[in-house]
Amino acid sequence: MSSRRSRASRHREEDEINNHILKLQAAISQIQRTGTTSRASASKILKETCNFIKKLHREMEDLSERLSVLMASIDTNSAEAEVLISLLMQR
């Protein structure tokens, strides 16, 4: 069940990243066509994109820390450890 949630979460994040990339491409294209009139919107899109990337980094650090705690608390020869390691080896 959690792997389904993880995949769904990953899919939403990929969609959000793609959406920011499309907005950024459109803003850059518009700037190239019109000059400086759209710099504010391009700046806003860049800021939103940077903030989103920072948020993803914070989430990754949090998950990494939680994983370290989990790995330290389980017996490395247990079935749970094998399942966890197999999940970590998946893409």
Side-chain angles (χ1 to χ4, degrees):
M1 184 79 162
S2 65
S3 65
R4 278 190 222 147
R5 274 189 241 135
S6 176
R7 277 185 256 152
S9 175
R10 204 172 331 143
H11 183 68
R12 280 192 305 275
E13 289 172 356
E14 288 173 1
D15 285 347
E16 194 170 343
I17 289 170
N18 288 335
N19 186 32
H20 283 292
I21 289 171
L22 290 174
K23 285 181 181 179
L24 186 56
Q25 288 173 334
I28 290 170
S29 178
Q30 186 177 7
I31 287 170
Q32 289 173 338
R33 283 193 311 269
T34 62
T36 60
T37 57
S38 299
R39 288 199 191 273
S41 63
S43 173
K44 181 180 177 183
I45 292 168
L46 280 171
K47 285 179 185 177
E48 288 177 15
T49 302
C50 289
N51 288 336
F52 181 69
I53 291 169
K54 288 176 186 177
K55 176 186 153 209
L56 290 177
H57 279 279
R58 285 190 303 269
E59 289 177 12
M60 183 184 70
E61 289 171 357
D62 179 54
L63 290 172
S64 179
E65 185 177 323
R66 290 169 54 194
L67 178 61
S68 294
V69 170
L70 178 63
M71 291 298 289
S73 71
I74 63 173
D75 176 14
T76 56
N77 295 319
S78 70
E80 292 135 344
E82 288 182 32
V83 169
L84 186 56
I85 291 168
S86 70
L87 288 172
L88 290 172
M89 298 306 283
Q90 294 177 3
R91 184 171 144 68

